[in-house]
Amino acid sequence: MSQIDWEKLLKSNVEVMSKAFKTDGNDIRVLGAFVCAAYGRVADPKKLEESKSILKDKFNALSEFRGNLFVPLIVKMSLSENPTEYLQRVLDIYEELSSDYKFGNEMRILAAIILCDNTDVENQKEMLSRTIEVYNKMKAEHSVLSGQEDIPFAALIAISNGVIDTMLNRAEDCYKLLKESFKLSKKDILNVSRILSLNDGTADELSDAFLKIYNALKDNKLAIKGTQMTILSVL
């Protein structure tokens, strides 16, 4: 797909999302449109309404499933062959991840979506175990800086083909190299380091690549901070 075709697809999907989610913020509607475009799909209004109805019937307005991930989850459901089955599988994975917690959490939902989209039913339990293993090691390494918001990072590492300890060691090496440059943003840099560890290359190479982009933006008076730094590390 050419850049022009992709932009047309994105614009078309934004129009569909604006009608389907009139009371939601524009940024979340654009995110939904982007998800569809990333899959090369035209947003289906009927499938979106069907998926929205299924989700609303399943969870009340106070549920974490009706929070910030409401629109993205509906979009993912609409892209599946069977929205009901997709939601149930996400819920099953979420409950496995939530067995040690009393309260709901959107980050565990995001991790469940990641695992649902990147595993087969046959290896789902294995990937769940890997995710929990990675998360426990993250907490052991950085007990103060690590929390439930790191579960999606654990899921991303788990579904990769890399050796867990190798990737976590690479993340730690990146963190050590970068933290002195961002003394007031250690949590953000830890997140950046975990994303960088998903890539091939040494910690020096990955850290240098991140700093070059960061500094280039800074030189052009574009301040990058907070979650924006995590997004930058993906790029």
Side-chain angles (χ1 to χ4, degrees):
M1 183 184 300
S2 70
Q3 180 68 23
I4 294 176
D5 289 339
W6 193 89
E7 289 175 356
K8 287 182 179 179
L9 177 60
L10 180 61
K11 182 179 179 181
S12 173
N13 286 340
V14 168
E15 292 175 357
V16 174
M17 295 295 162
S18 296
K19 294 177 182 178
F21 303 101
K22 294 179 181 178
T23 60
D24 294 276
N26 185 61
D27 55 343
I28 204 71
R29 294 198 295 262
V30 172
L31 175 60
F34 184 87
V35 171
C36 285
Y39 281 87
R41 300 275 293 276
V42 176
D44 184 335
K46 291 184 179 179
K47 202 82 176 287
L48 286 168
E49 286 301 319
E50 176 192 357
S51 299
K52 187 194 298 184
S53 177
I54 293 169
L55 189 60
K56 283 187 172 182
D57 288 344
K58 187 80 172 177
F59 302 101
N60 64 46
L62 298 178
S63 169
E64 60 273 11
F65 280 84
R66 297 277 295 271
N68 292 319
L69 291 172
F70 178 63
V71 172
L73 181 53
I74 288 172
V75 172
K76 298 291 288 187
M77 290 168 64
S78 75
L79 294 174
S80 68
E81 292 185 8
N82 188 315
T84 300
E85 290 182 0
Y86 180 89
L87 177 60
Q88 187 58 52
R89 187 159 174 242
V90 168
L91 181 58
D92 289 343
I93 296 172
Y94 173 77
E95 289 177 344
E96 289 281 350
L97 292 172
S98 303
S99 59
D100 293 331
Y101 300 96
K102 293 181 180 179
F103 303 104
N105 182 276
E106 289 181 337
M107 290 298 98
R108 295 201 301 275
I109 297 175
L110 179 56
I113 292 172
I114 291 170
L115 290 171
C116 181
D117 289 347
N118 293 279
T119 64
D120 298 322
V121 175
E122 292 75 17
N123 69 343
Q124 180 174 303
K125 285 191 176 297
E126 178 189 353
M127 290 300 106
L128 270 165
S129 296
R130 277 174 62 89
T131 298
I132 294 169
E133 178 187 353
V134 172
Y135 179 61
N136 286 337
K137 288 184 175 183
M138 285 178 169
K139 288 198 298 181
E141 190 75 37
H142 293 280
S143 58
V144 175
L145 294 178
S146 295
Q148 291 190 58
E149 67 275 9
D150 296 302
I151 296 179
F153 294 118
L156 288 170
I157 290 176
I159 62 175
S160 70
N161 294 322
V163 177
I164 290 175
D165 286 341
T166 299
M167 298 183 74
L168 289 177
N169 288 337
R170 185 158 61 217
E172 183 63 19
D173 289 342
C174 286
Y175 176 68
K176 289 176 180 177
L177 289 167
L178 292 170
K179 68 178 181 178
E180 292 305 315
S181 299
F182 302 92
K183 292 182 178 180
L184 299 179
S185 307
K186 289 187 176 180
K187 173 59 179 173
D188 296 321
I189 283 302
L190 183 58
N191 291 341
V192 165
S193 300
R194 287 167 174 169
I195 291 295
L196 292 176
S197 75
L198 298 171
N199 299 282
D200 293 328
T202 66
D204 286 306
E205 292 169 342
L206 296 171
S207 300
D208 285 346
F210 173 80
L211 285 173
K212 284 179 181 178
I213 299 175
Y214 177 86
N215 288 330
L217 292 172
K218 185 179 179 181
D219 290 343
N220 284 278
K221 299 182 180 180
L222 294 173
I224 302 297
K225 57 185 179 179
T227 55
Q228 295 171 335
M229 296 174 71
T230 307
I231 295 170
L232 181 62
S233 67
V234 175
L235 301 176

